[in-house]
Amino acid sequence: MALHRCCNWCDATQGLTRCAACKVTLYCSRDHQVLDRKKHATHCKVVKLTQVSLDREEQTLRDDPGDGFSSPAYPFETSVGQFWGFLSTRDYMRARYRLVVAILKIKTSDAVSSAAEHVRDILHLNRSDNMGVRDMLPAIYVRLGRDQDAYDFIKWNGTIGSSGDYDWGNMDLPYLDVVDADVFESPRYLCGKWPTLSWLICATLIKIRLLLDLVALLNSGCLAAKLPQELFDRVKLFIPSTGPVWKNRAVMSRTDYSSLIVELSSQVDELYVAVIRVNKHFWPALLNPGAHLTATPEVYSPGTENEMQRMLQFSYDSWVETPGSIDFIRTMSAK
């Protein structure tokens, strides 16, 4: 349930070289790159041109002597964390955002990894996130199989970042420092008075991925009667696909997963209802995305179709790349 580094034409994993233009697509041979050229060319060209634009904006910013007011000198050294507060940095930030969007059109492991690095750096440069990239990162992490990182990000933003007394202007305060939060905990803290749609959506997917892993472990119980215990314990380690399960010794040492599956199912139900409460358009659109995936909403308000389209575009690939997850939602919607 995670993207893997492989040839974009044949899925080979050895002897890979990068596309020299976009730098996020791999091929095992020149022949396969030629065969894939027609399909790859459009998005590749956009990434290349967008990167050139970003490089130009960065150089302009680094060359700017600053005016001490709307344009600081050496912003990459003096204004980290507060970039959007200065007009001179905004063209650079917008160019970097456009690059993230362009890169994510290329659905490779390296492309998604590159997008994750850019988004993290955008947040590093501008903690208050005036462009809303925090809505993108959890789903990007999930696509890379980094479910724990996705949940840690959601946990920090859903608690410390939403507390109301966090001083976003104080660069000495810890930022996004939650590590190894309990992915099996209740998600109620996300379902309060002012829930954030993107985090609810991703938390739902993370819980479903946990459920799918636990059901696989439960079904593997029939192997126990057919294999020596030592061999079964080793085989069991290869069944889960998400890190939070196989890294959790307490979970992996269980002989019965039924109660945990019931608890997670209840959590998914709670998150599912919370998403509906925040935006009634999302689940129907996930099941039948159609033109919503190519819509271009420039602005949106909470609960609107425009908001749904934006969050669907940020998260859809993470659902598609998790086999069984959309069918899970389909079953819930049919109740």
Side-chain angles (χ1 to χ4, degrees):
M1 288 194 289
L3 292 169
H4 299 286
R5 299 183 81 245
C6 60
C7 173
N8 206 44
W9 181 258
C10 73
D11 296 339
T13 58
Q14 302 296 318
L16 302 176
T17 57
R18 293 183 184 277
C19 168
C22 70
K23 296 181 173 60
V24 292
T25 306
L26 303 174
Y27 296 100
C28 65
S29 67
R30 176 67 177 170
D31 289 343
H32 283 187
Q33 184 171 7
V34 171
L35 288 169
D36 194 44
R37 182 172 294 161
K38 183 176 180 180
K39 178 182 177 182
H40 177 62
T42 300
H43 295 317
C44 178
K45 182 177 181 180
V46 173
V47 169
K48 182 180 179 179
L49 292 176
T50 310
Q51 181 66 63
V52 169
S53 176
L54 174 62
D55 292 343
R56 183 171 58 248
E57 293 295 347
E58 179 173 344
Q59 193 58 55
T60 298
L61 195 54
R62 290 187 182 278
D63 291 342
D64 186 353
D67 60 12
F69 178 65
S70 64
S71 175
Y74 312 113
F76 290 99
E77 289 77 35
T78 63
S79 304
V80 171
Q82 301 174 314
F83 252 47
W84 198 262
F86 302 98
L87 294 176
S88 61
T89 67
R90 295 184 184 181
D91 286 343
Y92 166 82
M93 296 293 277
R94 293 187 184 102
R96 196 152 190 188
Y97 176 81
R98 287 193 295 271
L99 180 60
V100 171
V101 173
I103 288 173
L104 287 173
K105 299 292 185 183
I106 299 177
K107 303 182 189 301
T108 66
S109 174
D110 280 36
V112 179
S113 294
S114 177
E117 292 176 9
H118 280 291
V119 172
R120 281 294 303 225
D121 204 40
I122 288 172
L123 291 170
H124 173 66
L125 291 171
N126 188 57
R127 287 189 178 188
S128 57
D129 184 30
N130 302 74
M131 296 188 296
V133 298
R134 73 184 73 180
D135 290 322
M136 307 172 74
L137 191 55
I140 289 174
Y141 277 152
V142 168
R143 295 183 67 191
L144 295 169
R146 296 170 59 181
D147 295 49
Q148 185 65 61
D149 289 333
Y151 190 74
D152 289 343
F153 183 86
I154 292 169
K155 178 75 173 186
W156 189 93
N157 280 286
T159 54
I160 299 169
S162 301
S163 66
D165 57 3
Y166 183 80
D167 185 355
W168 293 92
N170 185 351
M171 297 301 107
D172 293 327
L173 289 179
Y175 179 59
L176 298 178
D177 60 337
V178 170
V179 178
D180 291 334
D182 181 9
V183 294
F184 294 94
E185 69 183 348
S186 168
R188 196 151 298 163
Y189 70 93
L190 290 172
C191 307
K193 188 175 181 180
W194 305 108
T196 299
L197 180 59
S198 62
W199 304 337
L200 290 173
I201 293 166
C202 192
T204 305
L205 179 56
I206 290 171
K207 300 287 187 177
I208 289 174
R209 286 162 68 92
L210 293 174
L211 263 176
L212 294 174
D213 280 349
L214 291 175
V215 169
L217 279 170
L218 182 65
N219 291 338
S220 74
C222 62
L223 293 174
K226 301 177 182 180
L227 296 173
Q229 186 62 43
E230 181 181 355
L231 179 57
F232 173 68
D233 289 342
R234 289 166 60 188
V235 169
K236 191 166 70 170
L237 291 173
F238 291 93
I239 295 173
S241 301
T242 58
V245 170
W246 66 264
K247 289 181 179 179
N248 190 312
R249 292 184 179 181
V251 171
M252 292 300 293
S253 64
R254 285 184 178 224
T255 56
D256 183 6
Y257 302 97
S258 301
S259 61
L260 191 52
I261 288 173
V262 170
E263 172 60 26
L264 279 171
S265 297
S266 176
Q267 293 179 16
V268 171
D269 288 343
E270 184 175 3
L271 288 163
Y272 177 84
V273 171
V275 169
I276 294 174
R277 191 171 71 248
V278 174
N279 193 304
K280 66 180 181 180
H281 306 287
F282 186 80
W283 293 129
L286 178 69
L287 300 180
N288 297 286
H292 294 308
L293 293 175
T294 54
T296 55
E298 294 184 4
V299 296
Y300 66 87
S301 300
T304 63
E305 185 175 83
N306 281 0
E307 180 194 39
M308 171 275 291
Q309 290 170 340
R310 184 174 173 88
M311 301 310 156
L312 182 68
Q313 291 170 19
F314 286 165
S315 63
Y316 186 70
D317 287 330
S318 63
W319 288 85
V320 170
E321 292 162 7
T322 302
S325 62
I326 295 179
D327 286 338
F328 196 106
I329 295 297
R330 197 181 306 278
T331 300
M332 295 186 72
S333 299
K335 292 180 180 179

